[in-house]
Amino acid sequence: MARIAYILLCHKDPDAIVAQARRIAAAGDFVAIHFDGRAAQADYDAIRRALDENPRVTFAARRLRCGWGEWSLVEASLLTVRAAFEAFPRATHFYMISGDCMPIKSARFAHDFLDAEDCDYCECADFFESDWIKTGFKHERLIYRHWFNERTQKRRFYASYALQKRLGITRAVPKGLQIRIGSQWWCLRRSSIATILEFCAARPDILRFFATTWIPDETFFQTLVYHLIPRAEIRSRTLTFLIFSDYGMPASFYNDHYDLLLSQNHLFARKISPGATELKARLGELYVDPDARFRISNEGQRLYTYLTRRGRVGRRFAGRIWETEATLGQEHELFAIVCKKWHVAKRLAYAIGAELEMPVVGYLFDEMDANLPHLGGIDASMQKRHRHRRSFLRMIFEYHGTRRLAICLDPADLDILRDLAQDRTTLHVLEIDCELSDAYLEGHAKRIGLASDATAASVLQTLVPALRGDIAFERDAMRAVAGGRLAILQQDGPGDEQAQALREFLPVPLETAQRLARIPHLFSD
């Protein structure tokens, strides 16, 4: 059975470190600790007094003063790995964590997970070809030597870099190494650790190279694992759940994230807020609970992206050439039915089409099967439909030989509606304002991938109000764009008001509008 030796790098909160180590030891695992040399000696002494007698806890031989982006972080990791390797011969896996990490699965789950597959978990993306580095230095991290800390010695860091660049002083990557990059939170088997330690002893030149690269904790172990371990035995991922913002800052987790964290396909999470004492207590109890069961939905990253970007509306400051040069023409009339409930909009659209003998297509910019004719390939992908939207619609008009066409749009299709409103065609817009229950919004979240059947109820309770607010935002923005072209059909409105809304939208007599307003089961789910 798997036994894990946790490599714990930390620099604060001695009480939390002691609690973490005791928790790990109580579950039958091991922990090796490096407490940053920059931290107070009194804090380190307190940790040693509390844990020195525990046979499942050991410490790095030396305390190094660590700095972000420096070799010192890798050196501290190597010191702690060696201590764990020697102290715990029964350890089968070595898992790097920080003082901000907490388990989000039980020890039993973690052991079973690692037993299931004989492999290493280490993110090993290609340094040069991948998009792992979003901004800033890339190859400059390697070909120039970095002796100074960019955060604490910024002037020296950039002066040194500028001088080397001006003088053309560069260096090559050591022969035979393919530089890889990824998360520093890896989990490696004992055999892989032994191989890496032997390699480090035999190749001090490799250590010297990485010692003056920038942010080597993202490249050192990742490159050696890829270089030394068979590819089939590497899973290029981290077992630690972490999220970075658009600005490269790690997201923190709080007390109300408990259910969300447990549903992720990871063993630990980083980083837990220092103030989330309730969350830490619950996760601590979870790790030593052998009966804990988990439902994995793994929507955390998608949820974070959705919630943080909600309300950001993309803007184009210049029209695309194929859109500015294409027009539907003044001779055409386009009837756009906007509704979040697609089945409701399509029921009404096809009823209108039958009543007025007008061609109808469904959500042509949102679903592949939208009652479309074959148009020579422009209809074959959503990307083509969006890229050539005016030409696409004009081809539908021409295919049917008509001057009238009814389509369906989602309220989120704001840029499409804005584009059509700017065209010379005659545009009519009908909004169907439906009632959206919590149950419907939960189903909507699952349909768009923000949730699944395994998502915890507490997560859905947080998500549903956000979705409701998002839909309200889309509705208000759509109404502003539609302006005087807009008619609104209220689900809960009286029949005469519904008929009046349809008359505003369509050139039909009152009797026809009343007949359309009485479509059986129009609003049924």
Side-chain angles (χ1 to χ4, degrees):
M1 185 175 73
R3 281 290 177 261
I4 308 169
Y6 290 97
I7 311 303
L8 176 55
L9 302 187
C10 48
H11 65 279
K12 61 182 179 180
D13 201 350
D15 292 340
I17 300 305
V18 171
Q20 180 85 298
R22 285 175 173 165
R23 183 184 309 118
I24 289 169
D29 291 317
F30 311 96
V31 58
I33 299 172
H34 178 273
F35 195 69
D36 197 325
R38 297 177 185 272
Q41 181 66 36
D43 288 345
Y44 179 67
D45 292 340
I47 296 172
R48 293 297 298 253
R49 283 195 302 271
L51 299 174
D52 264 344
E53 300 302 319
N54 194 319
R56 294 181 177 273
V57 179
T58 192
F59 291 84
R62 292 182 291 124
R63 293 175 62 201
L64 301 180
R65 296 171 63 86
C66 297
W68 183 87
E70 292 182 5
W71 170 251
S72 54
L73 284 173
V74 177
E75 190 176 3
S77 301
L78 286 171
L79 280 172
T80 316
V81 165
R82 290 191 184 100
F85 190 82
E86 295 170 1
F88 308 128
R90 293 173 52 208
T92 61
H93 294 76
F94 295 75
Y95 190 156
M96 178 78 72
I97 61 175
S98 77
D100 293 325
C101 293
M102 286 292 291
I104 56 175
K105 298 292 186 294
S106 64
R108 180 176 181 177
F109 183 99
H111 298 157
D112 292 344
F113 181 93
L114 295 176
D115 281 334
E117 193 172 7
D118 186 22
C119 64
D120 295 316
Y121 294 91
C122 181
E123 193 174 15
C124 301
D126 187 286
F127 184 92
F128 297 100
E129 300 299 327
S130 73
D131 64 347
W132 206 90
I133 300 174
K134 301 298 184 184
T135 59
F137 284 177
K138 192 166 187 175
H139 66 281
E140 294 92 344
R141 294 189 183 196
L142 306 175
I143 66 172
Y144 298 109
R145 294 168 177 84
H146 302 280
W147 294 283
F148 305 104
N149 187 292
E150 193 268 345
R151 290 190 173 180
T152 60
Q153 299 173 291
K154 192 176 293 289
R155 291 183 63 182
R156 291 181 177 179
F157 178 90
Y158 287 106
S160 169
Y161 161 70
L163 180 62
Q164 293 178 75
K165 186 175 182 179
R166 185 166 66 251
L167 298 178
I169 303 174
T170 60
R171 59 178 177 177
V173 173
K175 289 184 179 179
L177 280 188
Q178 295 183 40
I179 302 298
R180 316 301 285 189
I181 190 168
S183 169
Q184 70 183 102
W185 313 112
W186 41 256
C187 180
L188 305 178
R189 296 164 296 173
R190 186 177 193 87
S191 59
S192 300
I193 290 292
T195 301
I196 289 172
L197 293 178
E198 290 172 4
F199 181 84
C200 290
R203 295 291 305 273
D205 58 311
I206 299 296
L207 273 65
R208 286 195 297 272
F209 170 78
F210 280 102
T212 51
T213 60
W214 190 42
I215 320 181
D217 54 300
E218 294 179 350
T219 55
F220 178 77
F221 284 100
Q222 297 79 356
T223 299
L224 294 195
V225 167
Y226 190 81
H227 179 70
L228 299 171
I229 309 303
R231 305 286 192 274
E233 298 176 18
I234 303 172
R235 301 295 172 265
S236 184
R237 57 160 295 193
T238 175
L239 297 181
T240 298
F241 179 57
L242 67 167
I243 296 176
F244 286 93
S245 72
D246 294 344
Y247 310 103
M249 299 300 293
S252 294
F253 300 106
Y254 300 92
N255 290 334
D256 57 348
H257 288 133
Y258 179 81
D259 291 323
L260 172 69
L261 292 176
L262 265 58
S263 66
Q264 304 313 305
N265 189 24
H266 298 79
L267 304 184
F268 270 66
R270 183 181 188 274
K271 56 191 219 172
I272 309 300
S273 170
T277 54
E278 178 187 340
L279 177 61
K280 290 182 180 181
R282 296 180 71 185
L283 293 176
E285 294 170 1
L286 175 76
Y287 189 73
V288 295
D289 181 2
D291 299 321
R293 296 293 180 266
F294 304 91
R295 299 178 66 187
I296 308 299
S297 53
N298 208 39
E299 75 280 21
Q301 179 64 62
R302 293 191 300 275
L303 272 174
Y304 179 83
T305 301
Y306 166 72
L307 292 172
T308 54
R309 295 181 181 176
R310 187 165 55 96
R312 300 181 190 175
V313 180
R315 295 177 174 88
R316 287 187 286 112
F317 295 101
R320 300 181 176 99
I321 186 169
W322 50 79
E323 292 175 343
T324 56
E325 294 299 318
T327 178
L328 302 181
Q330 291 177 319
E331 69 275 17
H332 291 135
E333 281 188 281
L334 186 64
F335 297 83
I337 301 173
V338 182
C339 184
K340 202 64 178 181
K341 289 188 174 181
W342 292 7
H343 56 283
V344 175
K346 287 191 280 190
R347 282 179 196 146
L348 180 59
Y350 288 115
I352 290 172
E355 188 72 43
L356 276 68
E357 299 182 353
M358 181 194 308
V360 174
V361 293
Y363 284 83
L364 67 170
F365 295 108
D366 298 286
E367 58 179 351
M368 286 302 298
D369 183 13
N371 192 36
L372 290 171
H374 294 294
L375 300 173
I378 194 173
D379 58 308
S381 73
M382 286 295 172
Q383 185 178 14
K384 287 184 178 180
R385 296 183 196 180
H386 280 264
R387 184 184 304 143
H388 309 291
R389 58 184 64 141
R390 294 188 191 180
S391 298
F392 177 45
L393 282 168
R394 183 156 190 150
M395 290 175 72
I396 298 175
F397 275 109
E398 293 173 355
Y399 177 88
H400 289 289
T402 183
R403 293 188 177 184
R404 288 180 173 178
L405 176 68
I407 67 172
C408 298
L409 294 177
D410 191 282
D413 296 330
L414 185 65
D415 59 331
I416 295 172
L417 187 63
R418 181 183 293 113
D419 194 23
L420 296 176
Q422 294 172 351
D423 192 84
R424 289 183 294 165
T425 191
T426 302
L427 175 66
H428 309 273
V429 182
L430 175 70
E431 177 198 354
I432 307 179
D433 191 1
C434 293
E435 297 175 1
L436 303 176
S437 66
D438 287 356
Y440 173 82
L441 290 175
E442 290 178 9
H444 178 65
K446 294 173 183 178
R447 286 190 291 274
I448 62 177
L450 290 177
S452 72
D453 291 335
T455 300
S458 61
V459 176
L460 289 172
Q461 289 172 3
T462 302
L463 180 59
V464 164
L467 280 171
R468 191 179 299 280
D470 202 34
I471 292 171
F473 175 85
E474 293 172 352
R475 179 201 62 205
D476 294 342
M478 180 273 300
R479 290 180 177 180
V481 169
R485 307 174 182 86
L486 178 67
I488 302 176
L489 178 64
Q490 299 280 357
Q491 176 176 347
D492 57 357
D496 56 343
E497 290 184 9
Q498 292 179 339
Q500 182 58 36
L502 287 168
R503 283 200 71 192
E504 293 176 18
F505 177 59
L506 298 166
V508 295
L510 179 61
E511 300 78 34
T512 302
Q514 290 173 335
R515 190 162 53 250
L516 289 170
R518 293 194 297 267
I519 295 172
H521 313 296
L522 174 60
F523 295 102
S524 299
D525 291 332

